[in-house]
Amino acid sequence: MIYALGLATDGTLAHFADRAAADVTLVDLGELAADGAWRLALPDDGDSWLLAGDQRHDLRPGDGYYCRLADLSALEDDVVRRVRWRGLMAALTAWLDTVPGTVANRPGTAGDNGSKPLHEVTLARCGFTVPESLTSSDPGRLRAFAAAGPAIVKALSGVRADSRLVTPEEFDTFVPHQGPVHLQRYVAGSDVRAHVCGDAVHAEEAVSSAVDYRTAPPEDVTFRPHELPAALAAQLTACTRDLGLAFAGWDFKRDADGTYWCLEANPMPGYDWYDRRADGAITASLTDLLTGGPA
């Protein structure tokens, strides 16, 4: 049994539940937080369960859990519902971090992805080549970094945002209270996304004239399967484990010299877009991982 935990409106979660060749139970945390009930025992005593609507899900700690948890408490105007969201997230986080089954991913792992400067330090310590970056509220430093070579502005947190090139002139009227801003040296070349599921690696290359291929019109992006160098693939699987992750989406820029510049290790990748082009290979590997099937 695999439990898919998240929001029913999440396209990635729904994609996994639809495509997985296994018995998958999707539990909508929105419904559960609104008017459901739960019992999550620590340590588990064999009687942990979630009650959403008229569906009771008896959780077996040794099963597989695919998690795309989302804490929506900040969006709740009602105090009771806000407290319920926070209580549910705290209980699920503690329970999923301790159960013996395979969890993709345990909520307590890889927290530094939410802070891009810290995350880039982690990637460099893992041995990857990482572009130079600057996080600052100082207009002079930001202007100087942008003037030293092509630079892109990126989200400082883990919130998804598009990247774009910046010019030094953009910081002429910048004042410190508008910051901090995270700039990264732009690397020209193709984009490579690699999904790691245990020991399985699925990579795809995107070639586009756009700075951020995710925002480019379809006619301006060419996707093709990509074979990573064996040493890099081995490094990815090892580092994914070292980060405490079972499943991760790794982003690289590959320059004209063939150098792979590491941009990010995403602990909750929206992988369905890539999986459709890979004929479901990523879902198959993720399912095998969660069920103890072939590596």
Side-chain angles (χ1 to χ4, degrees):
M1 168 71 77
I2 299 174
Y3 294 92
L5 305 176
L7 301 176
T9 55
D10 179 357
T12 300
L13 193 76
H15 174 87
F16 173 78
D18 290 341
R19 298 291 186 91
D23 186 4
V24 177
T25 296
L26 194 157
V27 181
D28 182 8
L29 300 185
E31 183 180 22
L32 182 61
D35 55 14
W38 55 89
R39 182 184 189 274
L40 296 164
L42 293 174
D44 190 84
D45 58 4
D47 188 28
S48 293
W49 46 265
L50 306 173
L51 180 64
D54 59 356
Q55 292 279 351
R56 173 178 164 129
H57 307 289
D58 293 302
L59 305 182
R60 295 177 297 186
D63 281 338
Y65 293 85
Y66 175 47
C67 304
R68 289 182 59 83
L69 306 187
D71 184 354
L72 303 186
S73 61
L75 304 179
E76 291 288 354
D77 294 328
D78 183 82
V79 173
V80 173
R81 290 169 67 96
R82 190 183 312 142
V83 170
R84 284 178 58 83
W85 261 113
R86 291 176 180 170
L88 175 61
M89 289 299 101
L92 273 176
T93 295
W95 194 83
L96 290 166
D97 276 344
T98 59
V99 293
T102 301
V103 181
N105 286 303
R106 297 188 189 274
T109 59
D112 67 6
N113 180 267
S115 171
K116 285 299 182 285
L118 177 59
H119 189 57
E120 289 169 6
V121 170
T122 297
L123 297 177
R125 287 177 175 172
C126 287
F128 294 103
T129 302
V130 180
E132 177 191 14
S133 66
L134 171 70
T135 303
S136 179
S137 294
D138 184 324
R141 295 187 66 194
L142 293 167
R143 188 185 305 109
F145 187 91
I152 57 174
V153 61
K154 302 181 70 173
L156 185 60
S157 68
V159 177
R160 186 197 181 282
D162 300 330
S163 300
R164 66 172 181 86
L165 288 167
V166 294
T167 64
E169 293 73 25
E170 291 184 62
F171 299 103
D172 288 346
T173 58
F174 182 86
V175 291
H177 75 259
Q178 293 177 274
V181 173
H182 185 65
L183 301 182
Q184 187 179 74
R185 190 64 63 214
Y186 174 64
V187 178
S190 62
D191 290 87
V192 175
R193 162 60 78 94
H195 288 94
V196 176
C197 308
D199 291 326
V201 180
H202 303 275
E204 182 180 56
E205 185 176 29
V207 180
S208 172
S209 63
V211 171
D212 188 336
Y213 74 97
R214 299 170 302 175
T215 65
E219 63 272 13
D220 188 33
V221 188
T222 300
F223 295 101
R224 55 197 180 208
H226 186 72
E227 188 74 24
L228 292 174
L232 179 57
Q235 184 182 10
L236 283 180
T237 57
C239 289
T240 299
R241 284 193 296 270
D242 289 346
L243 292 172
L245 302 174
F247 179 44
W250 290 81
D251 290 317
F252 293 88
K253 291 291 291 190
R254 183 171 182 263
D255 67 18
D257 295 329
T259 299
Y260 290 82
W261 295 81
C262 189
L263 306 179
E264 179 183 20
N266 190 331
M268 196 168 69
Y271 81 95
D272 47 304
W273 192 32
Y274 306 90
D275 191 54
R276 291 186 180 93
R277 290 189 295 271
D279 295 326
I282 303 170
T283 293
S285 290
L286 182 54
T287 303
D288 287 340
L289 176 72
L290 292 167
T291 58

